[in-house]
């Protein structure tokens, strides 16, 4: 298509750029838009769909994602719409069985020690309601058609049923899924590796009496079957591996199909009815070769795709968005060299996470979906017996929940940095993470550490003696530097040119905003598609 020009007639409203254009209004895009508004940035968020579809899709929300939602002020609302998943019952070959009590696992210091099942459309609705309250709304029926980058902004071409237009934005976030148009526009490529497996997902109600806060995992020679509870009483998510030779032909996923499948693999008379959303897909894994090009970034499924095993997709996407936006808010307050290092650090850190996550999910999926019936029989006879009794069961808690993720060799940390801080009890009540104001640099100091100098930054006192005595946290809540006292931590930080340039505006008492227009105002909360956007989408 013809690229749009970056030159404007004086007085043209388009000549005033918005801070962030988000393409895609799923959980990743909504998190990006909401966090940007929270940090005082002007936002437009567009989606090619005419309305939000009521599809449950991603179901599990893990602990670290709940911590992100807590920082956005929506954890309670998400929790209210979900159901705590208390146990996983394992069933295999030759009578092998086991039970993993998820509540009894060593969750450690999180305020959200559970798996939470929440249909994706409910999570999206909570995020959207918060975004409207923050002064922005989704522009439905708006298609991203391409972009051209300039030195200080991106020109994006959008199309609605009514018209086409060019939107000038300082930053563009591509959160538009595995077939991302934004990724294509920046020349990115995702090499998808065929997992040689077909998956089926379905939501259905049952007449069978099953504990409604426990799941069941059947490792069967014909393919695995997972049945997990959904928040609505007697409704269940069914996930099944369909070996390729069994998946041929357009067999409808209906009540009869589900009953036959579950009877065969679980010996349960399920009594499926009122079958809702269903999906059948050939499984692929992949990580985009680009996460950033200039002022354009990819997050969520636009950057990585994988199987639903472990429920990592929505969670990783939300955390991508959270990791990105504070950087964009800081970028215009620093010099060009610092800005490039800051923005490159997003690609470096989140690619580490994506590659590790996709690799782990790929290996787990391959173990469960191997081509050999004999291999699946062997796994089914061993896994249910050993998983509940060994240290491997702990992989279902903190590691899967994202609580042990650490940025290694990051350009935005010094020695002792890169990890999530210990969520110790805070002096005066609550926990350390509950006291943080994400989006700014913050000290955590044990209560017995002498006072200051704190350089004008907020301080949260930890009542526990665990971990380093003093930590300086980045705006995303990860540790930038740690040590025995604030003087040594500050010295280490200021010897790092990028970190020093980022933290000094805060220490000097300056508000590090995204732009001169970065104050919050209320924008008309209409979702009607228009190239001008709701209230032009700016502050």
């Amino acid at each position: 298509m013809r690229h749009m020009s970056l030159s404007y007639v004086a007085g043209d409203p388009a000549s005033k750029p918005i801070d962030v254009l988000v393409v895609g209004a799923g959980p990743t895009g909504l998190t990006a838009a909401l966090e940007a508004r929270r940090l005082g940035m002007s936002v437009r968020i567009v989606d090619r769909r005419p309305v939000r579809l009521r599809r449950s899709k991603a179901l599990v929300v893990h602990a670290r994602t709940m911590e992100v939602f807590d920082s956005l002020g929506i954890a309670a609302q998400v929790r209210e719409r979900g159901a705590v998943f208390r146990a996983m019952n394992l069933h295999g070959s030759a009578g092998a069985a086991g039970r993993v009590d998820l509540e009894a696992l060593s969750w450690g210091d999180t305020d959200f020690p559970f798996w939470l099942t929440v249909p994706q459309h409910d999570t999206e609705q909570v995020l959207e309601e918060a975004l409207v309250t923050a002064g922005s709304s989704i522009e439905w029926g708006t298609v991203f058609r391409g972009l051209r980058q300039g030195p200080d902004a991106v020109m994006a071409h959008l199309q609605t049923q009514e018209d086409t237009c060019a939107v000038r934005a300082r930053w563009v976030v591509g959160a538009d899924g595995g077939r991302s148009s934004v990724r294509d526009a920046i020349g990115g490529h995702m090499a998808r590796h065929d997992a040689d497996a077909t998956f089926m997902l379905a939501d259905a109600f049952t007449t069978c009496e099953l504990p409604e806060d426990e799941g069941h995992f059947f490792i069967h020679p014909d393919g695995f079957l997972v049945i997990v509870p959904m928040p609505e009483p007697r409704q269940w998510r069914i996930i099944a591996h369909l070996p390729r030779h069994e998946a041929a032909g357009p067999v409808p996923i209906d009540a009869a199909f589900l009953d036959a499948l579950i009877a065969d693999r679980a010996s349960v008379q399920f009594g499926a009815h009122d079958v809702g959303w269903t999906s059948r897909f050939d499984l692929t894994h992949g990580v985009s070769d680009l996460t950033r090009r200039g002022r354009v970034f990819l997050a969520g499924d636009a950057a990585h795709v994988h199987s639903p095993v472990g429920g990592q997709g929505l969670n990783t996407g939300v955390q991508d968005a959270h990791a990105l936006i504070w950087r964009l808010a800081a970028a215009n307050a620093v010099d060009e060299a610092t800005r490039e290092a800051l923005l490159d650090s997003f690609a470096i850190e989140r690619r580490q996470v994506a590659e590790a996550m996709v690799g782990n999910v790929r290996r787990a999926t391959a173990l469960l979906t191997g081509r050999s019936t004999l291999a699946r029989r062997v796994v089914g006879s061993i896994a249910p017996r050993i998983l509940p009794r060994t240290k491997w069961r702990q992989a279902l808690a903190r590691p899967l929940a994202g609580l042990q993720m650490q940025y290694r060799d990051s350009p935005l940390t010094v020695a002792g940095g890169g990890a999530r801080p210990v969520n110790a009890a805070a002096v005066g009540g609550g926990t350390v993470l509950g006291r943080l104001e994400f989006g700014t640099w913050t000290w955590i100091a044990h209560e017995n550490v002498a006072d200051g100098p704190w350089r004008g930054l907020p301080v949260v006192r930890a009542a526990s003696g665990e971990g380093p005595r003093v930590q300086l946290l980045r705006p995303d809540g990860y540790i930038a530097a740690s040590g025995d006292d604030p003087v040594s931590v500050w010295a280490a930080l200021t010897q790092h040119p990028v970190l020093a340039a980022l933290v000094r505006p805060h220490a000097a008492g300056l508000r590090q905003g995204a732009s001169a227009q970065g104050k919050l105002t209320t924008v008309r909360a209409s979702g009607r598609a228009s190239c001008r956007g709701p209230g032009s989408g700016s502050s």
Side-chain angles (χ1 to χ4, degrees):
M1 61 168 288
R2 181 176 59 87
H3 289 304
M4 308 299 293
S5 171
L6 281 174
S7 61
Y8 294 91
V9 177
D12 183 351
S15 65
K16 179 182 178 181
I18 58 169
D19 290 318
V20 184
L21 172 66
V22 180
V23 181
T28 300
L30 285 164
T31 299
L34 180 57
E35 178 72 348
R37 289 300 288 159
R38 192 180 72 83
L39 295 180
M41 305 172 80
S42 54
V43 176
R44 288 182 69 173
I45 176 170
V46 303
D47 196 292
R48 67 184 305 127
R49 297 171 295 174
V51 294
R52 183 172 309 290
L53 302 178
R54 190 171 175 80
R55 295 176 177 174
S56 59
K57 299 179 73 174
L59 193 63
V60 178
V61 177
H62 286 302
R64 181 57 186 165
T65 303
M66 288 296 289
E67 292 179 351
V68 171
F69 287 162
D70 197 33
S71 75
L72 295 172
I74 61 170
Q77 295 94 313
V78 173
R79 174 69 181 83
E80 287 172 2
R81 291 175 179 247
V84 172
F85 194 169
R86 302 187 187 281
M88 177 64 82
N89 298 285
L90 308 172
H91 313 266
S93 307
R99 184 175 186 274
V100 178
D101 185 342
L102 298 174
E103 292 186 313
L105 297 179
S106 299
W107 286 92
D109 60 355
T110 183
D111 293 333
F112 306 98
F114 46 73
W115 288 12
L116 189 70
T117 59
V118 191
Q120 180 172 318
H121 58 74
D122 282 343
T123 301
E124 290 172 346
Q125 187 174 359
V126 170
L127 283 161
E128 184 178 357
E129 289 171 355
L131 181 62
V132 169
T133 300
S136 292
S137 60
I138 300 167
E139 298 172 45
W140 296 108
T142 303
V143 181
F144 169 84
R145 292 298 188 191
L147 59 79
R148 183 177 181 180
Q149 298 207 51
D152 60 356
V154 179
M155 181 70 75
H157 185 198
L158 304 179
Q159 181 178 351
T160 70
Q161 287 186 342
E162 300 170 354
D163 60 358
T164 61
C165 66
V167 174
R168 192 172 185 233
R170 289 184 172 87
W171 313 105
V172 174
V173 179
D176 52 340
R179 303 186 184 281
S180 170
S181 297
V182 176
R183 186 179 65 232
D184 291 343
I186 62 173
H189 175 67
M190 183 182 289
R192 290 175 177 258
H193 302 285
D194 188 350
D196 194 27
T198 298
F199 272 38
M200 179 223 74
L201 307 178
D203 298 338
F205 288 86
T206 180
T207 60
C208 182
E209 296 293 336
L210 292 171
E212 296 198 348
D213 57 358
E214 299 188 7
H216 297 268
F217 200 124
F218 300 88
I219 307 175
H220 191 274
D222 290 341
F224 75 80
L225 168 70
V226 184
I227 306 174
V228 295
M230 297 181 69
E232 191 166 348
R234 306 186 76 87
Q235 187 182 31
W236 295 77
R237 161 67 57 82
I238 298 117
I239 308 168
H241 164 222
L242 306 175
R244 288 282 169 88
H245 68 277
E246 293 186 8
V251 179
I253 301 174
D254 55 16
F257 176 90
L258 295 175
D259 281 345
L261 178 72
I262 295 170
D264 179 55
R265 299 190 187 180
S267 299
V268 171
Q269 301 305 309
F270 191 71
H273 63 93
D274 294 315
V275 178
W277 176 71
T278 66
S279 177
R280 177 191 272 118
F281 56 93
D282 292 337
L283 184 63
T284 59
H285 301 277
V287 178
S288 174
D289 60 346
L290 288 179
T291 306
R292 176 206 175 197
R293 173 156 283 173
R295 290 176 170 269
V296 183
F297 302 81
L298 303 178
D301 289 352
H304 39 75
V305 295
H306 47 83
S307 90
V309 171
Q312 295 296 291
L314 178 150
N315 294 275
T316 306
V318 166
Q319 292 167 42
D320 285 347
H322 191 250
L324 172 61
I325 297 301
W326 75 268
R327 288 170 162 91
L328 302 187
N332 286 342
V334 294
D335 60 72
E336 183 177 356
T338 301
R339 180 170 61 249
E340 287 302 300
L342 169 67
L343 301 178
D344 279 345
S345 73
F346 167 78
I348 292 168
E349 291 183 353
R350 296 311 294 178
R351 186 172 182 85
Q352 289 177 7
V353 171
E355 289 180 340
M357 182 270 294
V358 171
N360 290 336
V361 171
R362 178 180 54 78
R363 286 186 287 272
T365 304
L367 184 66
L368 294 168
T369 63
R371 296 178 105 182
S372 166
T373 300
L374 176 61
R376 292 196 294 269
R377 191 182 300 275
V378 170
V379 171
S381 66
I382 296 174
R385 291 186 172 98
I386 67 171
L387 186 60
R389 302 176 186 174
T390 69
K391 65 181 181 180
W392 294 108
R393 67 179 182 172
Q394 272 305 124
L396 299 177
R398 291 182 62 82
L400 195 64
L403 299 172
Q404 294 183 181
M405 190 274 293
Q406 183 169 2
Y407 296 126
R408 303 183 184 279
D409 302 320
S410 167
L412 279 195
T413 62
V414 295
R420 167 185 174 273
V422 173
N423 189 25
V427 173
T431 60
V432 165
L433 293 184
R435 293 288 193 89
L436 292 183
E437 182 181 348
F438 288 87
T440 189
W441 297 79
T442 306
W443 296 97
I444 293 179
H446 290 172
E447 58 185 332
N448 58 357
V449 173
D451 194 36
W454 303 115
R455 312 287 176 173
L457 302 177
V459 184
V460 177
R461 291 283 189 173
S464 168
E466 299 179 28
R469 288 165 53 82
V470 177
Q471 300 165 328
L472 186 57
L473 304 190
R474 306 184 325 191
D476 59 355
Y478 284 88
I479 302 168
S482 62
D484 291 329
D485 59 82
V487 174
S488 62
V489 172
W490 188 260
L493 196 79
T494 53
Q495 289 173 9
H496 187 294
V498 177
L499 290 173
L502 290 171
V503 75
R504 277 174 179 149
H506 286 271
L510 301 176
R511 187 183 187 282
Q512 191 176 31
S515 67
Q517 303 98 334
K519 57 184 182 300
L520 280 171
T521 61
T522 300
V523 182
R524 180 171 60 88
S526 167
R528 182 179 178 183
S530 166
C531 274
R532 288 294 299 275
S536 298
S538 60
S539 300

